Amino acid sequence: MIEIARDIVGGLFLAAGAAFFLIGAIGMHRMPELFSRIHAASLADTTGVGLILIGLMIHGGFSLVTVKLVFLLMFMLFMGPVATHALAAAALQAGLKPGSPTTRKQVAARATRKVAAHAAPPRKGRGKA
Amino acid sequence: MLRTVSLALFLFAFWLLLSGHYTLWLVGAGAIVSVVLALAGRALGFADGEGHPVERLPAGFGYWPWLALEIIRSSLQVARVVIDPRLPIAPRLFEVKCGPKTAVGIATYANSITLTPGTVTVGIDRERGVLSVHALTADGRKGVEEGEMDRRIQAFEGRSA
């Protein structure tokens, strides 16, 4: 009886986590630029991962493996935001403005503009790093 | 000193829970490694109030359940935005006042904002006491600016550490 309940509840958590992964992936494709893509990805890397790990804990029953899953969840929750923050900060440092276009067509358009700008002398203030 | 002892105990507990083999050799080796690592942490400076803020643990147990609920709430919001055919997003980068003052508090605040889907902390300016945050929707931005998380983190950090 307990076995079945565990299977059902754990399975529900796993399915919910998978759904968040799917929605996150759809969002990654639908969003127009890097910063809004990060938001879609965070659906997968916090909520998706969290629900799947909780589902595994319930499904597996209580043992030392559960404890390892708890450690894994804690690690994801502490380290995930650091990685996301690093990605966003690096994009900003690299000069990507929030709202600047990053669909394939727009990137191509920007690249041609860059090539055209290359003919002109380089602007001041570049390469301060 | 007390913090070093606590770090050694945490490391030893971590070892025991990960190992699962309770022979004299493995438990003894774990104990020795934990103590050596904690002493190294004391010497190298990662066993201080920033590296091992153990006194914030009880406050954390008060804060984390609220954060979990908040994550689930904003996850559903962002999921709804993603599957909405009109894709109603209004991505904005903005600055918000950062109430927490301690390193642990600021890190927790910034991480919590990033952890909730729909908002990402992009930068921290400790001198002016502001965070720059990127939000996907106007709702997300309003949620951060209302400052409930800010207040809860200030309660969490307790102002002493």
Side-chain angles (χ1 to χ4, degrees):
Chain A
M1 193 56 215
I2 289 276
E3 287 282 307
I4 296 170
R6 234 166 42 195
D7 277 355
I8 291 172
V9 177
L12 283 177
F13 270 97
L14 290 178
F20 272 107
F21 263 98
L22 183 64
I23 295 170
I26 293 171
M28 287 272 282
H29 283 272
R30 291 198 70 198
M31 293 299 176
E33 41 95 38
L34 183 131
F35 290 96
S36 35
R37 286 208 167 108
I38 289 178
H39 295 306
S42 71
L43 274 185
D45 76 14
T46 28
T47 324
V49 168
L51 287 172
I52 284 186
L53 285 176
I54 293 171
L56 288 174
M57 287 172 209
I58 296 171
H59 190 268
F62 190 76
S63 66
L64 268 188
V65 178
T66 321
V67 179
K68 286 171 194 173
L69 287 170
V70 172
F71 283 142
L72 196 55
L73 181 62
M74 276 163 57
F75 177 77
M76 297 299 295
L77 290 180
F78 277 101
M79 288 298 122
V82 176
T84 307
H85 165 79
L87 180 62
L92 211 62
Q93 280 275 307
L96 193 69
K97 298 273 181 305
S100 63
T102 43
T103 64
R104 218 175 280 172
K105 214 198 262 171
Q106 288 162 324
V107 167
R110 210 160 60 142
T112 47
R113 274 208 304 280
K114 264 225 178 100
V115 170
H118 240 75
R123 270 178 294 150
K124 261 199 195 151
R126 292 277 259 168
K128 66 184 153 179
Chain B
M1 190 61 217
L2 219 53
R3 200 187 293 284
T4 314
V5 173
S6 149
L7 180 60
L9 288 176
F10 268 84
L11 287 171
F12 188 50
F14 189 61
W15 172 289
L16 289 181
L17 288 169
L18 284 189
S19 126
H21 297 282
Y22 302 118
T23 60
L24 181 65
W25 157 238
L26 280 171
V27 173
I32 291 168
V33 169
S34 310
V35 170
V36 169
L37 267 180
L39 289 173
R42 190 179 159 83
L44 298 174
F46 63 80
D48 55 4
E50 277 181 39
H52 184 59
V54 66
E55 72 278 7
R56 298 269 66 87
L57 200 59
F61 282 114
Y63 171 66
W64 290 324
W66 179 81
L67 179 64
L69 280 180
E70 203 61 11
I71 289 173
I72 290 169
R73 255 215 336 247
S74 49
S75 294
L76 292 172
Q77 270 173 17
V78 172
R80 205 175 300 142
V81 167
V82 165
I83 54 179
D84 190 317
R86 290 175 295 120
L87 200 65
I89 59 171
R92 288 282 180 283
L93 191 64
F94 61 97
E95 289 193 333
V96 66
K97 215 178 80 52
C98 175
K101 293 283 182 287
T102 62
V104 176
I106 293 173
T108 308
Y109 189 29
N111 268 12
S112 302
I113 289 177
T114 308
L115 211 47
T116 28
T119 46
V120 170
T121 311
V122 183
I124 300 162
D125 189 339
R126 279 190 80 169
E127 271 166 32
R128 290 193 297 136
V130 291
L131 303 178
S132 46
V133 178
H134 188 269
L136 181 64
T137 59
D139 272 357
R141 174 175 180 167
K142 216 163 64 209
V144 175
E145 281 174 344
E146 271 166 14
E148 179 169 13
M149 188 182 272
D150 189 290
R151 282 191 294 280
R152 281 178 188 267
I153 303 259
Q154 288 191 40
F156 159 80
E157 70 174 355
R159 271 295 174 248
S160 56

